[in-house]
């Protein structure tokens, strides 16, 4: 089998298989995971430091550490959640170092700054377009932690357990953030709940 075919075969491996091969020192597996998640991690990092070159540095540093310390990494991680959590922690440390936050503040102090913009591809009439504008407005006035929890749940398709790990809270606290966020949205939502869920699933 030539090198091109080997790379193509690895590209269809799932995260767990690639993680195992990465830990064994496989550079191709590392490269595929990097390409698979680099854009997602940049987008998440930009929710804390919008359009900052420092975000790129943080993401690249996370992958560098993964490669350097691969032998000591856990074999049983949810790769996407692990990467998101690692980027989040590194950005917090960067902000603490730069005195954006007092050193006494923890990972919980980081502010989620992302402005939601629900995808317009599925909008087929003026009424639905109005609902999209309404949902964007409601989402963007939610408390920071609720916004972040909803972003991780609907935009990144993470489980409550995975969200809890990223936010450094227990399962119940993560579930409460999601529940309160949805309650706040529904208080302001006038219309079909099916449409609401469809729009939530199409955040960008």
């Amino acid at each position: 089998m030539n090198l091109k075919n080997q790379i193509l075969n690895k590209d269809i491996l799932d995260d767990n298989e690639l993680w195992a091969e990465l830990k064994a020192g496989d550079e191709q597996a590392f490269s595929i995971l990097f390409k698979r998640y680099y854009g997602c991690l940049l987008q998440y990092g930009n929710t804390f430091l919008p359009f900052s070159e420092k975000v790129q540095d943080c993401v690249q540093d996370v992958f560098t550490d993964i490669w350097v310390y691969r032998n000591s990494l856990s074999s049983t991680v949810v790769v996407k959640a692990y990467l998101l959590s690692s980027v989040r922690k590194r950005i917090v440390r960067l902000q603490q170092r730069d005195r954006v936050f007092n050193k006494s503040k923890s990972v919980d102090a980081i502010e989620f700054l992302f402005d939601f913009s629900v995808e317009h591809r599925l909008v087929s009439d003026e009424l639905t377009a109005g609902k999209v504008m309404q949902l964007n407005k409601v989402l963007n006035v939610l408390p920071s932690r609720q916004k972040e929890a909803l972003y991780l749940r609907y935009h990144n398709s993470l489980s409550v357990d995975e969200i809890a790990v990223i936010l450094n809270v227990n399962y119940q606290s993560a579930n409460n953030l999601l529940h309160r966020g949805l309650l706040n949205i529904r208080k302001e939502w006038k219309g079909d709940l099916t449409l609401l869920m469809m729009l939530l699933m199409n955040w960008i």
Side-chain angles (χ1 to χ4, degrees), residues 44-55:
Y44 185 52
N46 280 323
T47 66
F48 307 111
L49 292 173
F51 309 109
S52 170
E53 291 183 1
K54 293 180 180 180
V55 173

Side-chain angles (χ1 to χ4, degrees), residues 19 59 62 75 85 96 98 108 120 142 144 150 155 201-202:
W19 188 257
V59 173
V62 164
S75 299
S85 179
Q96 289 174 332
D98 291 346
D108 297 334
H120 286 67
L142 289 174
S144 177
L150 289 167
H155 184 72
M201 293 296 184
N202 284 276

Side-chain angles (χ1 to χ4, degrees), residues 30-49 51-52 55-56 58-60 62-63 80 83-84 87 91 114 151-152 155-156 204:
F30 172 80
S31 177
I32 291 168
L33 281 175
F34 180 88
K35 292 175 182 177
R36 185 174 292 183
Y37 287 113
Y38 183 73
C40 168
L41 296 173
L42 275 185
Q43 185 181 50
Y44 185 52
N46 280 323
T47 66
F48 307 111
L49 292 173
F51 309 109
S52 170
V55 173
Q56 296 180 42
C58 286
V59 173
Q60 291 168 3
V62 164
F63 278 103
K80 185 176 185 179
L83 292 172
L84 289 167
V87 168
I91 288 174
F114 186 66
Y151 174 87
L152 293 170
H155 184 72
N156 284 286
I204 58 173

Side-chain angles (χ1 to χ4, degrees), residues 33-158:
L33 281 175
F34 180 88
K35 292 175 182 177
R36 185 174 292 183
Y37 287 113
Y38 183 73
C40 168
L41 296 173
L42 275 185
Q43 185 181 50
Y44 185 52
N46 280 323
T47 66
F48 307 111
L49 292 173
F51 309 109
S52 170
E53 291 183 1
K54 293 180 180 180
V55 173
Q56 296 180 42
D57 293 338
C58 286
V59 173
Q60 291 168 3
D61 287 347
V62 164
F63 278 103
T64 298
D65 284 352
I66 285 173
W67 181 252
V68 171
Y69 300 109
R70 61 189 181 276
N71 293 328
S72 60
L73 296 174
S74 171
S75 299
T76 56
V77 300
V78 178
V79 175
K80 185 176 185 179
Y82 177 87
L83 292 172
L84 289 167
S85 179
S86 297
V87 168
R88 191 182 198 276
K89 290 174 181 176
R90 187 169 288 272
I91 288 174
V92 170
R93 289 198 297 270
L94 175 67
Q95 291 181 324
Q96 289 174 332
R97 187 193 68 192
D98 291 346
R99 301 181 186 277
V100 174
F101 290 111
N102 294 328
K103 290 188 179 296
S104 60
K105 298 222 176 158
S106 70
V107 68
D108 297 334
I110 192 168
E111 185 177 358
F112 189 77
L113 303 173
F114 186 66
D115 282 334
F116 288 112
S117 177
V118 174
E119 178 60 74
H120 286 67
R121 289 175 303 172
L122 300 180
V123 175
S124 58
D125 54 65
E126 290 186 8
L127 177 61
T128 306
K131 291 298 183 184
V132 168
M133 293 178 63
Q134 178 192 357
L135 179 56
N136 285 334
K137 182 178 179 180
V138 173
L139 285 169
N140 290 318
V141 297
L142 289 174
S144 177
R145 297 278 276 178
Q146 291 178 23
K147 284 176 64 176
E148 186 175 1
L150 289 167
Y151 174 87
L152 293 170
R153 182 74 180 100
Y154 291 101
H155 184 72
N156 284 286
S157 303
L158 298 184

Side-chain angles (χ1 to χ4, degrees), residues 5-36:
N5 286 336
Q6 288 178 353
I7 294 173
L8 288 174
N9 284 342
K10 286 185 183 297
D11 199 42
I12 64 174
L13 296 178
D14 66 27
D15 288 354
N16 292 335
E17 292 169 320
L18 288 170
W19 188 257
E21 296 204 10
L22 181 160
K23 281 180 55 60
D26 191 309
E27 293 184 12
Q28 290 177 16
F30 172 80
S31 177
I32 291 168
L33 281 175
F34 180 88
K35 292 175 182 177
R36 185 174 292 183

